[in-house]
Amino acid sequence: MPLTALRPARWSWRTLLPWAVGLLPLLGGMAVMRWQAERELLEQSQAAAIQVLRQSELILDQLSRSAQALLPLAGQPCEVASLPLRAEVTRNAFVRSTVLFNHDRVYCTSLLGGYDEAVDLNDYTEGTLWLMNGNSVTPGHPLLVYRLGSAGRGVLVTVDSEHVLTFLRLSDPGLPVQIRVGEHWIGAEGQVRNGSPPSAIKAPVRMASTRFPLSVQAGFREDRTLAYMLGHYPALFGLLVMLGLLAGGVCRWQIRRATSPRAEIERALQANEFVAYLQPVVRRGDYKWSGVEVLMRWQHPKDGLVRPDLFIPYAEHSGQIVPMTRALMAHTAHSLAPFAPLLDDHFHIAFNITADHCRDLSLLDDCARFLAQFPPGRVALTLELTERKLIEPSPTTLELFDKLHDMGVMIALDDFGTGQSSLNYLRQFRIDYLKIDQSFVAMIGGDALSLHILESIIELCGKLGLGIVAEGVETAEQRDYLDRYTVDYQQGYLFARPMPVADFLKSLAARPSTPALSKAPPPEIIPD
Ligand code: C2E
Ligand code: CA
Ligand code: CA
């Protein structure tokens, strides 16, 4: 029901709010899910770090025990020591080689027997552990060397890094774990590197051994969180999407309901925004104001004064026209009744009534209430019926019209000649007046055929004994023509335009008792 020519904004709050409401549970739920996923990933990282640390300590304990057992051999000739060195390699699953050194030089190994190579204490973190990238026997193959001894004499026990790497590789690839010994570290890819291990972007966890100079670092990558959420809570994810759609849908429905034409009319009715404009009807001869037609206007808070053809058709369609007409009758009576002395006896007040209002007898009460506000005989109430919605001649409607006549209420047939059933109405209901539609009045001064039609209508009214009101009189030529054809009443811009009740009362009070016809029509009041 557009009330203005302006198109509604495409991105108004009405279109954006449902999206926002729909996204709210989705984003809120995702935030909670993300928090939960990060907590679980952190726990998993901690568990992985603890696991790797425990296994590393387990292996180092074995190396430590082997080193303790071999320490008394340090300094003894290689011929004596090489057999026990080899025996230790065989006995201990984790030990890959055993080496004796003296005066900070290796002099006997389990693999080669006598050997000579310098031992640099600086390679060993806290003099105990060295994570190296391979030795002369297996270059590029990482080893972990445990050193035990003092005063340049002692034992070196090595373990193949594969034993440790197995645990690193067992953990989730999205949860990287690294082992660090001093300046060296190794990850699941099996390469010893220098410097600090790259800390995992999210929640880095670091666990240091209390017995060995070794620590384990774990964590999870940023992109792991979303993958984890999708992989672990698919049902919850689906539920959130459904909740979002539902919330957005309900919001959209509520907005549409609240801003629907029906709701808008209901609101306007409660706010008394439907106001009466009165257009005088003049009688033949002296053109004195002998009545008014009450025309509805919508005093809209934003769109200003709205013409009836922009909202009456919708109100008729939605059935809201009945309470609107009822309110219009009440307001008109309320504002005119105090000025009843200004009105001549039998001053005609006409309301436009739709078929819906004639379905039951409530119209009788509305009319009785209206008339009760004026002194008896002061006003003559007329109801104008149109053919926009057909009135079915049921027992109720026939009773209604009979009782209306009994009350002195008159019935006028509006826009006569424009619809299909004007003549049917004349047969079925007791009609008092015909209102000749302005399209026929506009024919005056036109071709002969049009004038014949108009004259026939006037003649028909005379034969049926009906009163005639001609609408839309705009020129003196039309006025004089209708006068010649003894049309009882005239209405149109030539005499007066529809005006607010206050203006009507002011004009009425200012008019002489037998007023002369105002030559120029009063200024337009309605801002179209
Ligand atoms: P209508 O009942 O035929 O009312 C006469 C219409 O002609 C009014 O338009 C009036 O302003 C206009 N009019 C009067 N004199 C002249 C003239 O000399 N020249 C021209 N060109 N027009 C003239 P308005 O007020 O815009 O009303 C339009 C229609 O809306 C009415 O036609 C009526 O069918 C409907 N309407 C108005 N108020 C109500 C109401 O309270 N209830 C119902 N159901 N319908 C209403
Ligand atoms: Ca009318
Ligand atoms: Ca009309």
Side-chain angles (χ1 to χ4, degrees), residues 437-449:
D437 188 66
Q438 43 189 275
S439 57
F440 292 106
V441 174
M443 290 172 184
I444 297 171
D447 59 285
L449 178 67

PDB file of all heavy atoms in Angstrom, residues 437-449:
ATOM      1  N   ASP A 437     -22.350  10.398 -11.711  1.00  0.00           N
ATOM      2  CA  ASP A 437     -20.883  10.411 -11.648  1.00  0.00           C
ATOM      3  C   ASP A 437     -20.308  11.583 -12.433  1.00  0.00           C
ATOM      4  O   ASP A 437     -20.873  12.022 -13.445  1.00  0.00           O
ATOM      5  CB  ASP A 437     -20.336   9.091 -12.208  1.00  0.00           C
ATOM      6  CG  ASP A 437     -18.856   8.984 -11.971  1.00  0.00           C
ATOM      7  OD1 ASP A 437     -18.457   8.903 -10.793  1.00  0.00           O
ATOM      8  OD2 ASP A 437     -18.080   9.037 -12.960  1.00  0.00           O
ATOM      9  N   GLN A 438     -19.156  12.045 -11.932  1.00  0.00           N
ATOM     10  CA  GLN A 438     -18.562  13.247 -12.541  1.00  0.00           C
ATOM     11  C   GLN A 438     -18.177  13.037 -14.002  1.00  0.00           C
ATOM     12  O   GLN A 438     -18.095  13.998 -14.764  1.00  0.00           O
ATOM     13  CB  GLN A 438     -17.378  13.764 -11.739  1.00  0.00           C
ATOM     14  CG  GLN A 438     -16.438  12.717 -11.247  1.00  0.00           C
ATOM     15  CD  GLN A 438     -15.419  13.319 -10.288  1.00  0.00           C
ATOM     16  OE1 GLN A 438     -14.407  13.830 -10.722  1.00  0.00           O
ATOM     17  NE2 GLN A 438     -15.675  13.250  -9.004  1.00  0.00           N
ATOM     18  N   SER A 439     -18.000  11.768 -14.412  1.00  0.00           N
ATOM     19  CA  SER A 439     -17.647  11.543 -15.819  1.00  0.00           C
ATOM     20  C   SER A 439     -18.798  11.956 -16.739  1.00  0.00           C
ATOM     21  O   SER A 439     -18.572  12.427 -17.856  1.00  0.00           O
ATOM     22  CB  SER A 439     -17.280  10.080 -16.031  1.00  0.00           C
ATOM     23  OG  SER A 439     -18.354   9.266 -15.638  1.00  0.00           O
ATOM     24  N   PHE A 440     -20.058  11.809 -16.240  1.00  0.00           N
ATOM     25  CA  PHE A 440     -21.208  12.235 -17.060  1.00  0.00           C
ATOM     26  C   PHE A 440     -21.338  13.757 -17.068  1.00  0.00           C
ATOM     27  O   PHE A 440     -21.650  14.362 -18.080  1.00  0.00           O
ATOM     28  CB  PHE A 440     -22.503  11.602 -16.528  1.00  0.00           C
ATOM     29  CG  PHE A 440     -22.532  10.108 -16.746  1.00  0.00           C
ATOM     30  CD1 PHE A 440     -22.339   9.240 -15.688  1.00  0.00           C
ATOM     31  CD2 PHE A 440     -22.728   9.570 -18.006  1.00  0.00           C
ATOM     32  CE1 PHE A 440     -22.347   7.872 -15.878  1.00  0.00           C
ATOM     33  CE2 PHE A 440     -22.740   8.202 -18.210  1.00  0.00           C
ATOM     34  CZ  PHE A 440     -22.540   7.347 -17.135  1.00  0.00           C
ATOM     35  N   VAL A 441     -21.053  14.344 -15.888  1.00  0.00           N
ATOM     36  CA  VAL A 441     -21.132  15.811 -15.796  1.00  0.00           C
ATOM     37  C   VAL A 441     -20.100  16.432 -16.743  1.00  0.00           C
ATOM     38  O   VAL A 441     -20.351  17.451 -17.383  1.00  0.00           O
ATOM     39  CB  VAL A 441     -20.905  16.266 -14.330  1.00  0.00           C
ATOM     40  CG1 VAL A 441     -20.832  17.786 -14.237  1.00  0.00           C
ATOM     41  CG2 VAL A 441     -22.025  15.740 -13.443  1.00  0.00           C
ATOM     42  N   ALA A 442     -18.949  15.771 -16.831  1.00  0.00           N
ATOM     43  CA  ALA A 442     -17.887  16.294 -17.700  1.00  0.00           C
ATOM     44  C   ALA A 442     -18.298  16.267 -19.172  1.00  0.00           C
ATOM     45  O   ALA A 442     -17.694  16.932 -20.011  1.00  0.00           O
ATOM     46  CB  ALA A 442     -16.616  15.481 -17.495  1.00  0.00           C
ATOM     47  N   MET A 443     -19.371  15.502 -19.519  1.00  0.00           N
ATOM     48  CA  MET A 443     -19.815  15.417 -20.920  1.00  0.00           C
ATOM     49  C   MET A 443     -20.548  16.680 -21.357  1.00  0.00           C
ATOM     50  O   MET A 443     -20.756  16.920 -22.553  1.00  0.00           O
ATOM     51  CB  MET A 443     -20.760  14.225 -21.091  1.00  0.00           C
ATOM     52  CG  MET A 443     -20.087  12.878 -20.970  1.00  0.00           C
ATOM     53  SD  MET A 443     -21.347  11.594 -20.951  1.00  0.00           S
ATOM     54  CE  MET A 443     -20.336  10.154 -20.692  1.00  0.00           C
ATOM     55  N   ILE A 444     -20.990  17.461 -20.366  1.00  0.00           N
ATOM     56  CA  ILE A 444     -21.749  18.676 -20.708  1.00  0.00           C
ATOM     57  C   ILE A 444     -20.856  19.596 -21.547  1.00  0.00           C
ATOM     58  O   ILE A 444     -19.717  19.863 -21.162  1.00  0.00           O
ATOM     59  CB  ILE A 444     -22.235  19.389 -19.428  1.00  0.00           C
ATOM     60  CG1 ILE A 444     -23.204  18.470 -18.675  1.00  0.00           C
ATOM     61  CG2 ILE A 444     -22.884  20.732 -19.754  1.00  0.00           C
ATOM     62  CD1 ILE A 444     -23.601  18.949 -17.310  1.00  0.00           C
ATOM     63  N   GLY A 445     -21.380  20.021 -22.669  1.00  0.00           N
ATOM     64  CA  GLY A 445     -20.564  20.838 -23.571  1.00  0.00           C
ATOM     65  C   GLY A 445     -19.882  19.979 -24.612  1.00  0.00           C
ATOM     66  O   GLY A 445     -19.207  20.482 -25.497  1.00  0.00           O
ATOM     67  N   GLY A 446     -20.094  18.636 -24.491  1.00  0.00           N
ATOM     68  CA  GLY A 446     -19.459  17.725 -25.447  1.00  0.00           C
ATOM     69  C   GLY A 446     -20.399  17.360 -26.569  1.00  0.00           C
ATOM     70  O   GLY A 446     -21.339  18.107 -26.885  1.00  0.00           O
ATOM     71  N   ASP A 447     -20.226  16.141 -27.123  1.00  0.00           N
ATOM     72  CA  ASP A 447     -21.014  15.737 -28.291  1.00  0.00           C
ATOM     73  C   ASP A 447     -22.472  15.418 -27.907  1.00  0.00           C
ATOM     74  O   ASP A 447     -22.798  15.230 -26.733  1.00  0.00           O
ATOM     75  CB  ASP A 447     -20.363  14.531 -28.971  1.00  0.00           C
ATOM     76  CG  ASP A 447     -20.248  13.382 -28.022  1.00  0.00           C
ATOM     77  OD1 ASP A 447     -19.342  13.434 -27.131  1.00  0.00           O
ATOM     78  OD2 ASP A 447     -21.048  12.451 -28.113  1.00  0.00           O
ATOM     79  N   ALA A 448     -23.315  15.311 -28.921  1.00  0.00           N
ATOM     80  CA  ALA A 448     -24.754  15.140 -28.700  1.00  0.00           C
ATOM     81  C   ALA A 448     -25.070  13.802 -28.036  1.00  0.00           C
ATOM     82  O   ALA A 448     -25.921  13.716 -27.149  1.00  0.00           O
ATOM     83  CB  ALA A 448     -25.484  15.241 -30.041  1.00  0.00           C
ATOM     84  N   LEU A 449     -24.342  12.714 -28.408  1.00  0.00           N
ATOM     85  CA  LEU A 449     -24.621  11.378 -27.867  1.00  0.00           C
ATOM     86  C   LEU A 449     -24.417  11.361 -26.339  1.00  0.00           C
ATOM     87  O   LEU A 449     -25.262  10.860 -25.588  1.00  0.00           O
ATOM     88  CB  LEU A 449     -23.698  10.341 -28.526  1.00  0.00           C
ATOM     89  CG  LEU A 449     -23.871   8.907 -28.003  1.00  0.00           C
ATOM     90  CD1 LEU A 449     -25.238   8.361 -28.397  1.00  0.00           C
ATOM     91  CD2 LEU A 449     -22.764   8.006 -28.505  1.00  0.00           C
TER      92      LEU A 449
END
